[in-house]
Amino acid sequence: MEAYLPISYLNDFVFCPRSIYFHQCYGRTEQRLYQSTDQTRGKAAHKTIDGQRYTSARDVLQGLDVYSEQYAIGGKIDLYHKAKALLVERKKKIKVIYDGYIYQLYAQYHCLTEMGYEVQRLQLYSLDDNRVYPIKTPAEDTARQAAFERLLAAMRQHDLNAPFKPDKRKCARCIYSSLCDVGLC
């Protein structure tokens, strides 16, 4: 089996391609030593999903491991409502719908459909303010689907030594800025 890309890396790569490398540098270091408050809160918000304690409803899959052979991606979904054919990606607080959020949802969609599940609708859900954001499926948004496929190709071809132009806004919020030689804008 070809090495697969973890779904969680998609949003990280969009934020900064170098962040995946720096995350690996920490290895098995206790996450609370380097994660930001936002990341810690987000992880805590996922505990019910990861522990499959969000609901006892039988038609809701939660924290399911998924994989797509076609795209060589894998990871976990948050929630899939079988009866509604609805896939939901939960975030602690959505202030802006970033492309990375949608690409994670697309990756989960492709994994589930390849595994034989019917997915008709996609949603992002903001826990803090209980807001739902409907997202078009890949079939409904072919331009974004093409961008998703380009992202996967870019991730597979990325060279950490390639010229890199830092983004001051992102660098200011990056938990790895102390490790990054060019992130010090």
Side-chain angles (χ1 to χ4, degrees):
M1 176 166 78
E2 176 184 339
Y4 73 93
L5 292 173
I7 292 171
S8 62
Y9 283 11
L10 276 69
N11 189 43
D12 294 343
F13 190 87
V14 171
F15 176 76
C16 176
R18 294 175 146 237
S19 70
I20 296 168
Y21 169 77
F22 291 121
H23 178 78
Q24 299 307 313
C25 288
Y26 281 111
R28 297 187 187 272
T29 303
E30 181 61 39
Q31 289 181 341
R32 64 185 169 85
L33 296 177
Y34 65 88
Q35 282 191 332
S36 70
T37 302
D38 289 343
Q39 288 175 308
T40 302
R41 289 179 181 152
K43 194 156 191 95
H46 268 91
K47 280 192 175 197
T48 58
I49 297 296
D50 295 338
Q52 298 183 344
R53 295 183 313 271
Y54 172 75
T55 182
S56 60
R58 291 181 183 224
D59 80 320
V60 178
L61 301 178
Q62 49 193 328
L64 178 71
D65 287 308
V66 294
Y67 177 77
S68 166
E69 188 174 333
Q70 177 184 354
Y71 291 103
I73 51 178
K76 290 186 179 283
I77 63 161
D78 283 353
L79 297 171
Y80 171 68
H81 299 265
K82 289 182 194 177
K84 300 176 186 176
L86 169 65
L87 175 61
V88 180
E89 170 69 14
R90 296 164 21 122
K91 299 290 183 189
K92 176 80 170 112
K93 172 81 174 176
I94 298 175
K95 296 177 186 174
V96 175
I97 298 176
Y98 293 106
D99 288 340
Y101 294 175
I102 296 171
Y103 296 145
Q104 284 180 307
L105 203 49
Y106 273 29
Q108 295 168 16
Y109 167 90
H110 287 296
C111 291
L112 276 177
T113 56
E114 193 173 314
M115 293 170 64
Y117 293 96
E118 179 185 10
V119 182
Q120 294 176 356
R121 296 186 302 136
L122 305 176
Q123 285 181 355
L124 290 171
Y125 176 71
S126 178
L127 292 163
D128 280 358
D129 53 7
N130 197 33
R131 292 196 58 190
V132 171
Y133 300 90
I135 302 298
K136 292 179 181 177
T137 65
E140 296 169 323
D141 192 342
T142 56
R144 189 172 301 272
Q145 171 62 23
F148 166 76
E149 291 176 4
R150 285 191 302 274
L151 172 67
L152 294 177
M155 290 176 74
R156 287 189 173 90
Q157 297 167 4
H158 181 69
D159 177 4
L160 189 61
N161 295 315
F164 176 75
K165 184 176 181 204
D167 179 326
K168 289 183 181 189
R169 289 175 329 175
K170 290 180 178 182
C171 292
R173 298 196 62 208
C174 182
I175 64 171
Y176 305 115
S177 61
S178 63
L179 299 175
C180 185
D181 57 341
V182 296
L184 306 172
C185 303

